[in-house]
mmCIF file of all heavy atoms in Angstrom:
data_model
loop_
_atom_site.group_PDB
_atom_site.id
_atom_site.type_symbol
_atom_site.label_atom_id
_atom_site.label_comp_id
_atom_site.label_asym_id
_atom_site.label_seq_id
_atom_site.Cartn_x
_atom_site.Cartn_y
_atom_site.Cartn_z
ATOM 1 N N GLU A 475 -18.057 -11.346 27.736
ATOM 2 C CA GLU A 475 -18.167 -11.887 29.155
ATOM 3 C C GLU A 475 -18.919 -10.905 30.103
ATOM 4 O O GLU A 475 -19.122 -11.155 31.191
ATOM 5 C CB GLU A 475 -16.749 -12.131 29.692
ATOM 6 C CG GLU A 475 -15.948 -13.185 28.907
ATOM 7 C CD GLU A 475 -14.634 -13.399 29.493
ATOM 8 O OE1 GLU A 475 -14.310 -12.802 30.600
ATOM 9 O OE2 GLU A 475 -13.801 -14.196 28.919
ATOM 10 N N THR A 476 -19.361 -9.676 29.586
ATOM 11 C CA THR A 476 -20.007 -8.895 30.465
ATOM 12 C C THR A 476 -21.335 -8.375 29.852
ATOM 13 O O THR A 476 -21.610 -8.644 28.698
ATOM 14 C CB THR A 476 -19.170 -7.496 30.672
ATOM 15 O OG1 THR A 476 -18.879 -6.896 29.395
ATOM 16 C CG2 THR A 476 -17.808 -7.939 31.338
ATOM 17 N N ASN A 477 -22.228 -7.779 30.669
ATOM 18 C CA ASN A 477 -23.537 -7.290 30.230
ATOM 19 C C ASN A 477 -23.317 -5.974 29.460
ATOM 20 O O ASN A 477 -22.277 -5.358 29.477
ATOM 21 C CB ASN A 477 -24.493 -7.155 31.321
ATOM 22 C CG ASN A 477 -23.907 -6.305 32.430
ATOM 23 O OD1 ASN A 477 -23.056 -5.491 32.202
ATOM 24 N ND2 ASN A 477 -24.401 -6.423 33.671
ATOM 25 N N ASN A 478 -24.414 -5.462 28.917
ATOM 26 C CA ASN A 478 -24.345 -4.223 28.001
ATOM 27 C C ASN A 478 -24.041 -3.053 28.935
ATOM 28 O O ASN A 478 -23.378 -2.098 28.445
ATOM 29 C CB ASN A 478 -25.752 -4.075 27.359
ATOM 30 C CG ASN A 478 -25.973 -5.160 26.252
ATOM 31 O OD1 ASN A 478 -24.989 -5.683 25.749
ATOM 32 N ND2 ASN A 478 -27.262 -5.366 26.034
ATOM 33 N N ASP A 479 -24.498 -3.028 30.197
ATOM 34 C CA ASP A 479 -24.339 -1.786 31.039
ATOM 35 C C ASP A 479 -22.748 -1.614 31.275
ATOM 36 O O ASP A 479 -22.229 -0.529 31.118
ATOM 37 C CB ASP A 479 -25.044 -1.876 32.322
ATOM 38 C CG ASP A 479 -26.576 -1.860 32.086
ATOM 39 O OD1 ASP A 479 -26.986 -1.284 31.107
ATOM 40 O OD2 ASP A 479 -27.267 -2.400 32.915
ATOM 41 N N LEU A 480 -22.137 -2.649 31.686
ATOM 42 C CA LEU A 480 -20.724 -2.596 31.977
ATOM 43 C C LEU A 480 -19.913 -2.321 30.646
ATOM 44 O O LEU A 480 -18.952 -1.578 30.705
ATOM 45 C CB LEU A 480 -20.260 -3.901 32.628
ATOM 46 C CG LEU A 480 -18.771 -3.920 32.996
ATOM 47 C CD1 LEU A 480 -18.374 -2.837 33.983
ATOM 48 C CD2 LEU A 480 -18.401 -5.244 33.636
ATOM 49 N N ARG A 481 -20.390 -2.881 29.593
ATOM 50 C CA ARG A 481 -19.698 -2.687 28.268
ATOM 51 C C ARG A 481 -19.751 -1.233 27.884
ATOM 52 O O ARG A 481 -18.815 -0.670 27.472
ATOM 53 C CB ARG A 481 -20.421 -3.519 27.267
ATOM 54 C CG ARG A 481 -19.678 -3.621 25.955
ATOM 55 C CD ARG A 481 -20.386 -4.484 24.945
ATOM 56 N NE ARG A 481 -20.878 -5.716 25.453
ATOM 57 C CZ ARG A 481 -21.857 -6.369 24.953
ATOM 58 N NH1 ARG A 481 -22.316 -6.102 23.766
ATOM 59 N NH2 ARG A 481 -22.228 -7.527 25.581
ATOM 60 N N ASN A 482 -21.015 -0.633 28.103
ATOM 61 C CA ASN A 482 -21.067 0.812 27.765
ATOM 62 C C ASN A 482 -20.272 1.695 28.674
ATOM 63 O O ASN A 482 -19.651 2.681 28.182
ATOM 64 C CB ASN A 482 -22.542 1.268 27.909
ATOM 65 C CG ASN A 482 -23.479 0.615 26.910
ATOM 66 O OD1 ASN A 482 -23.028 0.282 25.819
ATOM 67 N ND2 ASN A 482 -24.729 0.465 27.203
ATOM 68 N N LYS A 483 -20.182 1.312 30.002
ATOM 69 C CA LYS A 483 -19.321 2.085 30.872
ATOM 70 C C LYS A 483 -17.878 2.033 30.491
ATOM 71 O O LYS A 483 -17.151 3.025 30.412
ATOM 72 C CB LYS A 483 -19.528 1.636 32.282
ATOM 73 C CG LYS A 483 -20.872 1.936 32.853
ATOM 74 C CD LYS A 483 -20.995 1.347 34.305
ATOM 75 C CE LYS A 483 -22.366 1.648 34.913
ATOM 76 N NZ LYS A 483 -22.579 1.040 36.208
ATOM 77 N N LEU A 484 -17.392 0.798 30.109
ATOM 78 C CA LEU A 484 -15.922 0.682 29.701
ATOM 79 C C LEU A 484 -15.713 1.349 28.378
ATOM 80 O O LEU A 484 -14.662 1.924 28.216
ATOM 81 C CB LEU A 484 -15.685 -0.843 29.514
ATOM 82 C CG LEU A 484 -15.632 -1.685 30.885
ATOM 83 C CD1 LEU A 484 -15.503 -3.145 30.527
ATOM 84 C CD2 LEU A 484 -14.475 -1.192 31.780
ATOM 85 N N LEU A 485 -16.691 1.366 27.538
ATOM 86 C CA LEU A 485 -16.539 2.052 26.277
ATOM 87 C C LEU A 485 -16.392 3.627 26.539
ATOM 88 O O LEU A 485 -15.583 4.237 25.875
ATOM 89 C CB LEU A 485 -17.706 1.788 25.328
ATOM 90 C CG LEU A 485 -17.584 2.377 23.957
ATOM 91 C CD1 LEU A 485 -16.273 1.948 23.247
ATOM 92 C CD2 LEU A 485 -18.850 2.110 23.078
ATOM 93 N N LEU A 486 -17.198 4.104 27.434
ATOM 94 C CA LEU A 486 -17.121 5.505 27.743
ATOM 95 C C LEU A 486 -15.743 5.859 28.384
ATOM 96 O O LEU A 486 -15.193 6.907 28.135
ATOM 97 C CB LEU A 486 -18.234 5.954 28.693
ATOM 98 C CG LEU A 486 -19.687 5.964 28.061
ATOM 99 C CD1 LEU A 486 -20.759 6.245 29.210
ATOM 100 C CD2 LEU A 486 -19.721 7.021 27.062
ATOM 101 N N ILE A 487 -15.326 4.969 29.256
ATOM 102 C CA ILE A 487 -13.947 5.141 29.847
ATOM 103 C C ILE A 487 -12.819 5.143 28.856
ATOM 104 O O ILE A 487 -11.946 6.037 28.883
ATOM 105 C CB ILE A 487 -13.732 4.109 30.970
ATOM 106 C CG1 ILE A 487 -14.641 4.244 32.072
ATOM 107 C CG2 ILE A 487 -12.271 4.169 31.468
ATOM 108 C CD1 ILE A 487 -14.578 3.163 33.146
ATOM 109 N N ALA A 488 -12.967 4.255 27.787
ATOM 110 C CA ALA A 488 -11.976 4.201 26.809
ATOM 111 C C ALA A 488 -12.048 5.483 25.930
ATOM 112 O O ALA A 488 -10.934 5.986 25.543
ATOM 113 C CB ALA A 488 -12.171 3.005 25.868
ATOM 114 N N ILE A 489 -13.138 5.975 25.674
ATOM 115 C CA ILE A 489 -13.275 7.279 24.836
ATOM 116 C C ILE A 489 -12.693 8.413 25.617
ATOM 117 O O ILE A 489 -11.966 9.280 25.121
ATOM 118 C CB ILE A 489 -14.736 7.479 24.529
ATOM 119 C CG1 ILE A 489 -15.239 6.400 23.452
ATOM 120 C CG2 ILE A 489 -14.875 8.865 23.908
ATOM 121 C CD1 ILE A 489 -16.678 6.515 23.171
ATOM 122 N N ALA A 490 -12.960 8.445 26.992
ATOM 123 C CA ALA A 490 -12.470 9.498 27.769
ATOM 124 C C ALA A 490 -10.908 9.421 27.932
ATOM 125 O O ALA A 490 -10.164 10.445 27.854
ATOM 126 C CB ALA A 490 -13.060 9.414 29.231
ATOM 127 N N VAL A 491 -10.383 8.207 28.025
ATOM 128 C CA VAL A 491 -8.844 8.105 28.013
ATOM 129 C C VAL A 491 -8.283 8.529 26.720
ATOM 130 O O VAL A 491 -7.280 9.293 26.701
ATOM 131 C CB VAL A 491 -8.487 6.676 28.323
ATOM 132 C CG1 VAL A 491 -7.040 6.409 28.126
ATOM 133 C CG2 VAL A 491 -8.935 6.273 29.716
ATOM 134 N N ILE A 492 -8.844 8.182 25.605
ATOM 135 C CA ILE A 492 -8.363 8.606 24.304
ATOM 136 C C ILE A 492 -8.453 10.203 24.148
ATOM 137 O O ILE A 492 -7.415 10.779 23.670
ATOM 138 C CB ILE A 492 -9.118 7.927 23.198
ATOM 139 C CG1 ILE A 492 -8.833 6.443 23.133
ATOM 140 C CG2 ILE A 492 -8.738 8.540 21.861
ATOM 141 C CD1 ILE A 492 -9.706 5.714 22.236
ATOM 142 N N VAL A 493 -9.537 10.768 24.598
ATOM 143 C CA VAL A 493 -9.598 12.170 24.540
ATOM 144 C C VAL A 493 -8.538 12.929 25.343
ATOM 145 O O VAL A 493 -7.940 13.871 24.970
ATOM 146 C CB VAL A 493 -11.041 12.667 24.974
ATOM 147 C CG1 VAL A 493 -11.064 14.132 25.117
ATOM 148 C CG2 VAL A 493 -12.032 12.189 23.987
ATOM 149 N N VAL A 494 -8.383 12.330 26.616
ATOM 150 C CA VAL A 494 -7.283 12.886 27.479
ATOM 151 C C VAL A 494 -5.950 12.831 26.895
ATOM 152 O O VAL A 494 -5.122 13.746 26.884
ATOM 153 C CB VAL A 494 -7.382 12.183 28.822
ATOM 154 C CG1 VAL A 494 -6.123 12.622 29.673
ATOM 155 C CG2 VAL A 494 -8.612 12.562 29.560
ATOM 156 N N LEU A 495 -5.654 11.651 26.243
ATOM 157 C CA LEU A 495 -4.340 11.462 25.653
ATOM 158 C C LEU A 495 -4.167 12.456 24.531
ATOM 159 O O LEU A 495 -3.073 13.091 24.310
ATOM 160 C CB LEU A 495 -4.193 10.049 25.183
ATOM 161 C CG LEU A 495 -4.007 8.937 26.238
ATOM 162 C CD1 LEU A 495 -3.982 7.571 25.632
ATOM 163 C CD2 LEU A 495 -2.818 9.171 27.135
ATOM 164 N N LEU A 496 -5.208 12.672 23.627
ATOM 165 C CA LEU A 496 -5.054 13.621 22.654
ATOM 166 C C LEU A 496 -4.810 15.037 23.168
ATOM 167 O O LEU A 496 -4.046 15.792 22.531
ATOM 168 C CB LEU A 496 -6.314 13.544 21.745
ATOM 169 C CG LEU A 496 -6.521 12.266 20.930
ATOM 170 C CD1 LEU A 496 -7.909 12.306 20.208
ATOM 171 C CD2 LEU A 496 -5.444 12.037 19.987
ATOM 172 N N VAL A 497 -5.594 15.401 24.205
ATOM 173 C CA VAL A 497 -5.447 16.764 24.743
ATOM 174 C C VAL A 497 -3.976 16.918 25.286
ATOM 175 O O VAL A 497 -3.381 17.981 25.025
ATOM 176 C CB VAL A 497 -6.491 17.000 25.867
ATOM 177 C CG1 VAL A 497 -6.206 18.345 26.566
ATOM 178 C CG2 VAL A 497 -7.892 17.045 25.207
ATOM 179 N N VAL A 498 -3.546 15.917 26.051
ATOM 180 C CA VAL A 498 -2.166 16.009 26.577
ATOM 181 C C VAL A 498 -1.109 16.154 25.478
ATOM 182 O O VAL A 498 -0.199 16.880 25.577
ATOM 183 C CB VAL A 498 -1.882 14.821 27.521
ATOM 184 C CG1 VAL A 498 -0.445 14.743 27.934
ATOM 185 C CG2 VAL A 498 -2.781 14.864 28.706
#
Side-chain angles (χ1 to χ4, degrees):
E475 300 178 2
T476 58
N477 54 22
N478 291 333
D479 295 335
L480 180 58
R481 192 184 313 165
N482 293 332
K483 293 178 181 179
L484 291 175
L485 185 58
L486 289 176
I487 293 174
I489 294 175
V491 171
I492 293 174
V493 172
V494 170
L495 291 176
L496 292 176
V497 172
V498 170

